[in-house]
Amino acid sequence: RQTLVKDEKVKHGSYPRVVCCCRKKCLLFNDVVLIVATLHTGFSRRAKSFEMILIGRFLEGIGAGRTPHYSMLM
């Protein structure tokens, strides 16, 4: 099943948002998510907050799950 996004055909294994926004921007946004997650995890010891570790790990999981979809596009 093929869908059209802004008159472009979606390749197999790619998401319409990635085709629409282009791969480089999506990868850079994903890097920002991973940097924020790393900062949350890193500063959790100084803040003595267990919740910051949970937030950081949650964001790392989201970033790790989205990366393969963006890198498959060519």
Side-chain angles (χ1 to χ4, degrees), residues 4 6-7 10 13 20-23 26-28 31 35-38 43 47-48 51 56 59 66-68 74:
L4 296 176
K6 291 189 179 180
D7 299 330
V10 177
C20 175
C21 299
C22 90
R23 184 174 80 160
C26 288
L27 284 171
L28 287 175
D31 289 342
I35 288 171
V36 168
T38 304
F43 286 122
K48 296 180 181 173
E51 292 82 10
L59 290 174
R66 293 173 64 176
T67 301
M74 291 189 184

Side-chain angles (χ1 to χ4, degrees), residues 12-24:
H12 293 288
S14 63
Y15 284 66
R17 179 171 301 256
V18 178
V19 173
C20 175
C21 299
C22 90
R23 184 174 80 160
K24 185 176 181 181

Side-chain angles (χ1 to χ4, degrees), residues 35-72:
I35 288 171
V36 168
T38 304
L39 290 175
H40 265 86
T41 306
F43 286 122
S44 64
R45 181 176 288 178
R46 179 173 287 181
K48 296 180 181 173
S49 173
F50 180 71
E51 292 82 10
M52 287 180 70
I53 294 174
L54 294 177
I55 292 170
R57 295 289 291 172
F58 179 73
L59 290 174
E60 287 173 3
I62 289 175
R66 293 173 64 176
T67 301
H69 302 293
Y70 299 151
S71 59
M72 284 192 312

